[in-house]
């Protein structure tokens, strides 16, 4: 069984195999995030769950660190409370550098007492095994993602998705900020069909960035991704709480209905949770 609770924006708690994993932490109140190299990001809604109310978190799955709608100020501070953050290689380097510069008073030690890095960078198809409370392991594989149209990387930066696998658990895909169905096809080729797909949606875009091209999946793209993956359950995140999202739950419902996939869509309002038991994994 997989339990997912939406926190708001890209942030969700995944409970799988006895582990509790957190995606892209964003815990700030509403506010503006001016950027010298791009448009101002505007947060519209607070999180439904505060960091102090999360409970134990075993690892953070951070798609990227360079945009405030995926890692805001409070989310960045929260990382120091988690045993390990899995992210991109460039993100790991930046976070480790920042913690080292902050020093002990700022929870800035760049490694855990056992010498393992608190922020671990994973290139596409790199893997790490997380120990489970039952003695098993959950394998986390970093997978490709592209945060915009072809050629966007020098501007948007490095982004990653994740696939979670274990012999006795449903396969879970966490897309990160990905607008490229080609990345989804690569995941499907290696891991499909998947039990649960956590898709970053919302059709994020800015009129003056890449001529208004999509920076994340729109609703039709999310439905297409669900079909490519053969996903039994699709949980959209990252479609509420920020001004640059251009599609919401209504568009997602319509797109999945049009694609004949309405029964696979699990829409969670911030604070809501769902227990998912994909049919292929029912004993």
């Amino acid at each position: 069984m997989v339990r997912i609770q939406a926190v708001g924006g890209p942030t969700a708690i995944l409970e799988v195999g006895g582990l509790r994993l957190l995606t892209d932490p964003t815990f700030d109140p509403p506010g503006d995030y001016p950027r010298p190299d791009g448009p101002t990001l505007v947060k519209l809604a607070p999180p439904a769950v505060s960091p102090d109310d999360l409970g134990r978190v075993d690892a953070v799955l951070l798609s990227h660190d360079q945009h405030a709608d995926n890692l805001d100020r409070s989310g960045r501070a929260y990382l120091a409370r988690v045993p390990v953050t899995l992210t991109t290689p460039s993100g790991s380097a930046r976070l480790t550098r920042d913690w080292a510069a902050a020093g002990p008073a700022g929870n800035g030690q760049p490694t855990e007492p056992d010498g393992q890095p608190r922020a671990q960078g994973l290139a596409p198809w790199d893997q790490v095994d997380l120990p489970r409370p039952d003695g098993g392991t959950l394998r986390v594989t970093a997978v490709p993602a592209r945060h915009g149209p072809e050629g966007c990387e020098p501007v948007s930066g490095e982004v990653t998705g994740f696939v979670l696998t274990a012999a006795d658990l449903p396969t879970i895909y966490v897309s990160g900020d990905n607008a490229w169905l080609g990345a989804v096809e690569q995941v499907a080729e290696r891991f499909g069909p998947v039990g649960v797909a956590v898709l970053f949606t919302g059709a994020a875009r800015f009129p003056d960035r890449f001529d208004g091209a999509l920076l994340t999946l729109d609703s039709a793209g999310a439905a297409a991704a669900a079909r490519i993956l053969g996903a039994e359950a699709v949980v959209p995140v990252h479609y509420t709480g920020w001004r640059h999202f251009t599609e919401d739950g209504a568009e997602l419902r319509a797109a999945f209905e049009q694609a004949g996939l309405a029964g696979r869509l699990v829409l969670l309002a911030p604070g809501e949770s769902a227990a998912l038991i994909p049919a292929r994994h029912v004993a």
Side-chain angles (χ1 to χ4, degrees), residues 233-247:
V234 177
V235 183
V237 297
H238 210 28
Y239 64 94
T240 63
W242 293 83
R243 183 173 291 170
H244 57 285
F245 300 153
T246 63
E247 295 182 2

Side-chain angles (χ1 to χ4, degrees), residues 75-256:
R76 188 175 295 271
Y78 180 78
L79 295 182
R81 299 164 57 176
V82 179
V84 65
T85 295
L86 304 178
T87 189
T88 63
S90 60
S92 173
R94 283 187 292 268
L95 291 169
T96 300
R97 178 200 64 206
D98 291 347
W99 287 329
N107 293 317
Q109 296 299 322
T111 59
E112 292 296 301
D114 62 1
Q116 293 300 310
R118 179 176 286 148
Q120 184 167 348
L122 301 176
W125 313 118
D126 283 352
Q127 298 177 326
V128 62
D129 290 337
L130 300 179
R132 291 162 45 182
D134 61 8
T137 59
L138 179 71
R139 174 157 292 179
V140 180
T141 303
V143 297
R146 192 179 73 200
H147 197 0
E150 185 175 359
C152 71
E153 291 87 351
V155 176
S156 295
E158 193 175 33
V159 181
T160 190
F162 303 94
V163 172
L164 314 179
T165 53
D168 59 334
L169 296 170
T171 296
I172 302 171
Y173 169 53
V174 180
S175 73
D177 271 8
N178 173 58
W180 179 37
L181 288 177
V184 178
E185 291 169 350
Q186 292 180 49
V187 169
E189 288 171 3
R190 296 197 184 211
F191 295 101
V194 306
V196 179
V198 181
L199 300 181
F200 288 40
T201 56
R205 49 164 56 102
F206 295 95
D208 58 350
R209 179 71 82 190
F210 307 121
D211 295 323
L214 289 170
L215 304 179
T216 58
L217 292 173
D218 63 5
S219 299
R227 190 175 297 283
I228 291 167
L229 294 162
E232 294 189 54
V234 177
V235 183
V237 297
H238 210 28
Y239 64 94
T240 63
W242 293 83
R243 183 173 291 170
H244 57 285
F245 300 153
T246 63
E247 295 182 2
D248 60 14
E251 284 88 356
L252 283 162
R253 289 190 190 92
F256 274 72

